[in-house]
């Protein structure tokens, strides 16, 4: 690519966990490749257990990657020691899913938000720390009257704001948001999403925004990656992904998004995906989605489809596209509607 | 605002004056976890009582021995085996009263309960079961032909011990060697509390650090550190004490302290390890790691404070058991060496005169019970206060 250097580049990132019972590892993350440009929001979507958290935690080096590369602003941080990693930790922060578990219940808000300063700027005088904490709190819509309170005195939304303030205080460039809103009330979700968007505008932040359904990232993401069982199956600009999803899994996910207007639901929509996610210890051969794919063909069990560009940076990993017997200039939109007819024709 | 003004008058609501809001949002410190714990702990009368009791014992044990006027080792064999509660006989020829101890020694006691002296024995007529004593030149007879033994008045009549008085010279009486039991009990409590302090320190320092490091580090470090713990905990503490006694050449308090410090932290280490294992996967610990905090900082700031509940509960169970171990070891003779007073040695000493002077056993035994009960009550209260969910008992 000749585009400016991406802020984050993940190449064939793989993370296997030892699985207690068998010799086979848990393939939580298997060869994930994507890039995140400075200033954009990259949405990462997939069902529970598909490896989204593992992906974020491996990027931020909470987990040591089994294989692959992580580049932050061009620097390979994959095998840096924790000590060498420290300057990079300032530039990369994380917001966690559970606002109750991500704040230490024994610490005051001030100490929680000031913790990054205690690690990275331990020489800072106390008054200045308090000042910085107050600034960070005001950025997330909390005030100094909350400084001496404990986390359990706050609502979920407020707690998530405290977590965001902690992530902001070191002025990072990249923030990994691991399902920051899925534990919150719907009304609060919008507030937090708006806050994150506002902060992105004000502070030039780059986000990797994780969610388990596509509706949540719709208003946040510039580009979206769809994950299934430890692999990316489709990456595209958000408008393209929502208007003409290519991968049968993405289509199924979109079908499962609830529609605000019940009348709209009466229009023929492809059914949601059925069946359970296979175990990441024993993923299906070839395409991992084939066991649940309504369009699976023999080749799907033989070869694992690679993520290939179908044009305009719309990448998909599926044998329906660019595979043998497929004309290279086959317009993707037609293909999509084809599939949707297929899916729509499926009885259930 | 307009809405408030247009409320119907009968609602009874009034707009708040503008200043009131500012006061309501003024910074106030939140109630921390520990304030909550203290609040719940205060509700427990038994636990508060236990705490007060421990405090009292501690003050008495530290200050007490210098106030009783006796040393723990000074023997007054003429006043041996005198109980705290005296049954006294009044004789017409003396203003003072007389106490006959179980070994047929006659002790002169002032009317306010002070022991004056042991009356000198001059003869023992075994046939008539009558002893003679020299009381300031006059002869005094003690008849032990019938139970209980009694003094005889000048007419040869038995004088029953009718009046009773508290022993004001030795408030808790004397033991078989004539040592003050109160002083010795206080010394014993002092040793028990010293053992408690040693056990607490060892648990709080070695146990927490060892368990925390093991659990947080995980992997091979955890496995090897825990094998060491397994090995240590399979050998009984008694054996350590005996071995240390052999190595040191002398025994006593030091060998118990060394034994406790070298092995008594293993239970705590296990508890802290378990806590560290479960806490290290929590998101707030992950958050600290993404920030770049080192393992030491994470243990100190996140793991140990969050494990404090189980740590305190474990400590309040381990401390009384350490006290009991010391008393037991001293009782069977491999703990505190003789002139020193431990509640365990006192119990052992009392065994020989148990039938005649049961108070010599009851007093140190009661002291052990009170200390252990107090610690257990405090521990129970602490556990309930730390984990309100555990409180639902029938
Ligand atoms: N530390 C670990 N050890 C072993 N297996 C793990 C570990 N962490 C995650 N896994 C496994 O890896 C897979 C992916 O987990 P991950 O938490 O990344 O999913 P997720 O997409 O974030 O799901 P969710 O939406 O529920 O958060 C799961 O099968 C999980 O069981
Ligand atoms: Mg997750």
């Amino acid at each position: 690519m000749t585009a400016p250097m991406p802020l984050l580049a993940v190449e064939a990132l793989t993370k296997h966990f030892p699985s207690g019972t068998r010799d086979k590892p848990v393939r939580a993350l298997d060869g994930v490749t994507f890039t995140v440009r400075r200033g954009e929001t990259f949405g990462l979507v997939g069902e529970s257990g598909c490896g989204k958290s593992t992906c974020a935690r491996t990027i931020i080096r909470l987990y040591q990657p089994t294989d692959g590369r992580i580049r932050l602003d061009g620097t390979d941080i994959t095998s840096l020691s924790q000590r060498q990693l420290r300057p990079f930790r300032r530039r990369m922060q994380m917001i966690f899913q559970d606002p109750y578990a991500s704040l230490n219940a024994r610490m005051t808000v001030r100490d929680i938000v000031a913790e990054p300063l205690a690690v990275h700027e331990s020489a800072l005088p106390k008054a200045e720390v308090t000042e910085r904490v107050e600034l960070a709190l005001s950025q997330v819509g909390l005030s100094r009257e909350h400084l001496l309170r404990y986390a359990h005195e706050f609502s979920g939304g407020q707690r998530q704001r405290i977590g965001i303030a902690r992530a902001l205080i070191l002025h990072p460039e990249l923030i990994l948001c691991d399902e920051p809103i899925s534990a919150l009330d719907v009304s609060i979700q919008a507030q937090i999403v708006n806050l994150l968007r506002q902060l992105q505008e004000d502070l030039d932040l780059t986000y990797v925004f994780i969610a388990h359904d596509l509706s949540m990232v719709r208003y946040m993401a510039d580009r979206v990656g769809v994950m299934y069982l430890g692999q990316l199956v489709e990456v595209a600009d958000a408008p393209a992904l929502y208007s003409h999803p290519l991968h049968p899994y993405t289509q199924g996910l979109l079908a499962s998004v609830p529609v605000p207007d019940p009348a709209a639901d009466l229009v023929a929509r492809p059914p949601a995906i059925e069946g359970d996610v296979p175990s990441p210890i024993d993923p299906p051969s070839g395409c991992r989605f084939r066991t649940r794919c309504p369009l699976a063909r023999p080749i799907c069990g033989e070869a694992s489809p690679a993520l290939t560009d179908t044009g305009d940076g719309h990448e998909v990993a599926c044998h329906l596209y660019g595979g043998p017997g497929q004309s290279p200039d086959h317009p993707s939109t037609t293909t999509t509607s084809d599939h949707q007819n297929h899916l729509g024709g499926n009885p259930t | 605002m307009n809405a408030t003004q247009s409320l119907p008058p009968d609602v009874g609501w009034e707009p708040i004056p503008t200043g009131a809001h500012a006061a309501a949002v003024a910074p106030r410190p939140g109630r921390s976890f520990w304030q909550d714990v203290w609040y719940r702990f205060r509700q427990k009368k038994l636990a508060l009582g236990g705490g007060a009791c421990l405090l009292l014992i501690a003050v008495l044990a530290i200050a007490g021995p210098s106030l009783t006027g006796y040393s723990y080792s000074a023997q007054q064999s003429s006043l041996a085996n005198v109980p705290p509660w005296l049954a006294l006989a009044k004789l017409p020829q003396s203003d003072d009263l007389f106490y006959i101890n179980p070994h047929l020694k006659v002790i002169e006691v002032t009317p306010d309960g002070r022991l004056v002296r042991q009356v000198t024995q001059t003869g023992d007529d075994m046939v008539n079961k009558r002893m003679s004593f020299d009381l300031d030149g006059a002869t005094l007879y003690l008849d032990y032909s019938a139970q209980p033994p009694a003094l005889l008045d000048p007419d040869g009549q038995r004088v029953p011990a009718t009046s009773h008085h508290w022993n004001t010279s030795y408030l808790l009486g004397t033991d078989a060697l004539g040592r003050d039991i109160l002083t010795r009990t206080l010394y014993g409590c002092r040793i028990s509390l010293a053992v408690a302090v040693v056990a607490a320190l060892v648990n709080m320092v070695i146990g927490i650090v060892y368990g925390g490091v093991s659990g947080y580090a995980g992997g091979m470090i955890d496995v090897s550190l825990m094998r060491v713990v397994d090995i240590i905990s399979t050998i009984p503490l008694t054996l350590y004490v005996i071995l240390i006694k052999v190595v040191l050449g002398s025994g006593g308090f030091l060998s118990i302290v060394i034994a406790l410090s070298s092995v008594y932290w293993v239970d705590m280490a296990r508890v802290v390890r378990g806590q560290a294992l479960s806490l290290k996967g929590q998101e707030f610990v992950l958050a600290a790691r993404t920030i770049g905090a080192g393992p030491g900082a994470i243990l100190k700031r996140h793991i140990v404070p969050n494990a404090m509940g189980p740590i305190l509960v474990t400590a309040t169970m381990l401390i009384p058991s350490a006290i009991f171990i010391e008393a037991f070891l001293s009782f069977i003779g491999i703990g505190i060496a003789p002139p020193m007073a431990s509640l365990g040695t006192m119990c052992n000493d009392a065994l020989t005169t148990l039938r005649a002077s049961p108070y010599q056993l009851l007093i140190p035994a009661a002291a052990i019970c009170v200390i252990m009960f107090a610690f257990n009550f405090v521990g129970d209260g602490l556990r309930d206060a730390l984990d309100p969910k555990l409180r639902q008992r029938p």
Side-chain angles (χ1 to χ4, degrees), chain A residues 6-284:
Chain A
L7 179 60
L8 174 72
V10 175
E11 293 162 23
L13 195 62
T14 302
K15 177 65 192 171
H16 293 175
F17 292 108
S19 73
T21 47
R22 280 172 279 182
D23 302 338
K24 288 183 177 175
V26 181
R27 298 166 174 274
L29 203 60
D30 234 354
V32 165
T33 301
F34 64 90
T35 58
V36 182
R37 290 186 287 262
R38 197 176 281 278
E40 78 169 357
T41 298
F42 185 86
L44 202 54
V45 179
E47 279 170 296
S48 186
C50 71
K52 306 179 298 290
S53 297
T54 306
C55 183
R57 290 174 181 185
T58 312
I59 290 171
I60 207 160
R61 289 285 313 276
L62 277 177
Y63 298 151
Q64 182 60 35
T66 309
D67 200 7
R69 299 252 151 269
I70 308 153
R71 282 181 220 280
L72 185 68
D73 208 9
T75 315
D76 187 345
I77 61 163
T78 324
S79 42
L80 295 185
S81 71
Q82 290 298 331
R83 180 177 294 274
Q84 293 167 316
L85 211 55
R86 275 181 77 168
F88 295 95
R89 292 221 176 275
R90 305 185 59 129
R91 305 173 57 181
M92 183 165 60
Q93 289 289 310
M94 187 152 173
I95 300 171
F96 290 86
Q97 172 170 2
D98 185 348
Y100 292 88
S102 61
L103 305 180
N104 185 343
R106 304 280 184 275
M107 286 163 78
T108 59
V109 170
R110 181 195 177 278
D111 291 342
I112 291 172
V113 178
E115 194 181 7
L117 293 179
V119 173
H120 289 274
E121 292 170 39
S122 48
L124 217 58
K126 228 180 146 186
E128 212 164 311
V129 170
T130 309
E131 210 171 287
R132 291 270 295 273
V133 171
E134 284 177 10
L135 176 69
L137 284 182
S138 70
Q139 282 173 332
V140 299
L142 295 172
S143 61
R144 53 185 296 270
E145 84 211 30
H146 298 122
L147 273 181
L148 296 180
R149 306 261 193 97
Y150 289 83
H152 66 84
E153 299 176 61
F154 293 92
S155 67
Q158 285 176 314
R159 285 160 160 262
Q160 202 55 291
R161 286 170 193 265
I162 297 168
I164 296 172
R166 170 175 60 190
L168 287 179
I169 199 162
L170 289 175
H171 310 306
E173 298 158 48
L174 174 68
I175 297 189
L176 304 170
C177 313
D178 186 2
E179 305 200 33
I181 57 171
S182 50
L184 303 175
D185 260 21
V186 181
S187 56
I188 311 291
Q189 286 182 350
Q191 288 178 15
I192 297 293
V193 164
N194 287 338
L195 173 68
L196 288 171
R197 287 178 64 140
Q198 185 64 45
L199 290 170
Q200 182 168 40
E201 216 166 275
D202 295 346
L203 306 171
D204 290 329
L205 296 172
T206 307
Y207 290 139
V208 171
F209 190 93
I210 295 175
H212 61 248
D213 78 56
L214 278 164
S215 64
M216 283 197 185
V217 291
R218 185 155 211 161
Y219 301 101
M220 278 297 288
D222 301 307
R223 286 195 316 131
V224 178
V226 179
M227 276 186 82
Y228 183 77
L229 216 56
Q231 294 181 329
L232 271 177
V233 296
E234 185 164 1
V235 182
D237 287 344
L241 189 95
Y242 286 97
S243 61
H244 49 94
L246 296 186
H247 200 281
Y249 179 61
T250 316
Q251 292 166 1
L253 275 186
L254 274 176
S256 65
V257 170
V259 180
D261 177 11
D265 224 7
L266 298 176
V267 183
R269 285 168 13 110
I273 315 149
E274 290 177 355
D276 291 326
V277 189
S279 157
I281 299 175
D282 253 325

Side-chain angles (χ1 to χ4, degrees), chain B residues 33-115:
Chain B
F33 174 77
W34 292 111
Q35 284 165 319
D36 267 351
V37 167
W38 172 233
Y39 174 79
R40 284 194 294 265
F41 187 77
R42 266 188 340 213
Q43 316 287 307
K44 307 239 145 230
K45 296 288 168 272
L46 222 52
L48 272 188
C53 189
L54 282 181
L55 215 62
L56 184 72
I57 291 175
V59 169
L60 285 178
I62 291 163
S66 55
L67 300 179
T68 56
Y70 300 98
S71 92
Y72 66 88
S73 57
Q75 304 177 6
Q76 184 69 47
S77 44
S78 63
L79 299 178
N81 291 319
V82 183
W85 184 240
L86 304 171
L88 298 167
K90 175 87 179 118
L91 290 181
Q93 65 264 49
S94 170
D95 290 337
D96 279 344
L97 303 158
F98 296 90
Y99 168 73
I100 306 158
N101 88 358
H103 304 280
L104 300 183
K105 303 279 189 270
V106 177
I107 289 158
E108 190 180 346
V109 182
T110 62
D112 59 358
R114 256 183 336 100
L115 308 190

Side-chain angles (χ1 to χ4, degrees), chain B residues 170-241:
Chain B
Y170 299 94
L171 287 176
L172 294 182
T174 56
D175 67 2
L177 294 172
R179 295 174 295 197
D180 181 31
I181 289 183
L182 175 62
T183 312
R184 286 178 68 75
T185 307
L186 290 178
Y187 264 95
C189 290
R190 207 188 249 195
I191 285 184
S192 291
L193 292 182
V195 165
V197 169
V198 170
L201 272 181
V202 162
N203 278 310
M204 288 298 178
V205 179
I206 307 181
I208 289 179
V209 171
Y210 194 98
V213 168
S214 178
Y216 185 71
M220 278 314 292
I221 297 179
D222 183 32
V223 170
S224 36
L225 287 181
M226 278 303 124
R227 286 301 82 75
V228 173
V229 163
D230 289 345
I231 292 167
I232 289 177
S233 61
T234 48
I235 304 171
L237 192 63
T238 323
L239 194 54
Y240 284 111
V241 177

Side-chain angles (χ1 to χ4, degrees), chain A residues 62 89 98 101 104 115 120, chain B residues 283-284 289-291 302 306:
Chain A
L62 277 177
R89 292 221 176 275
D98 185 348
N104 185 343
E115 194 181 7
H120 289 274
Chain B
E283 287 190 347
F284 64 86
R289 283 173 58 201
T290 63
I291 283 160
H302 299 289
N306 279 283

